[in-house]
Amino acid sequence: NEAIDGSAAWEGRKLFLKMQCNACHNADGNGRAPQLAGIHGTRRPVQGGQTVLADDAYLRESIRNPMAKVADGWKPIMPAYPRSQ
């Protein structure tokens, strides 16, 4: 499913590449962070034994405050991206 030029998905992809998120969240699943393709709307395990719904609020929180709910099985290495960025 290709994002349409100018859509929110298109803009998000541009930002994902600009900020080099793909260096850790890469498509082959061998990165230093979880693969992100297809997670929106799914339940995700986080450290501490909980699961969370990967909705807009969770994804936004994970970018702004990545230590809030660290994906289970991954080290908490992601930097925070405050609103000003």
Side-chain angles (χ1 to χ4, degrees):
N1 224 351
E2 288 294 316
I4 298 170
D5 191 2
S7 70
W10 177 268
E11 295 302 321
R13 178 162 175 69
K14 283 183 7 186
L15 190 56
F16 184 83
L17 295 172
K18 177 184 175 186
M19 301 302 291
Q20 299 180 350
C21 303
N22 57 328
C24 293
H25 296 283
N26 59 38
D28 66 12
N30 293 322
R32 300 183 321 176
Q35 186 176 12
L36 300 178
I39 72 163
H40 191 269
T42 65
R43 303 249 3 131
R44 310 302 295 175
V46 294
Q47 291 179 5
Q50 299 176 349
T51 62
V52 296
L53 177 63
D55 59 5
D56 291 351
Y58 168 74
L59 296 173
R60 188 175 298 109
E61 177 186 48
S62 294
I63 294 166
R64 303 266 187 243
N65 181 13
M67 301 309 151
K69 297 180 183 94
V70 177
D72 195 33
W74 297 92
K75 293 180 182 177
I77 62 170
M78 183 168 155
Y81 291 93
R83 194 167 196 73
S84 62
Q85 288 184 305

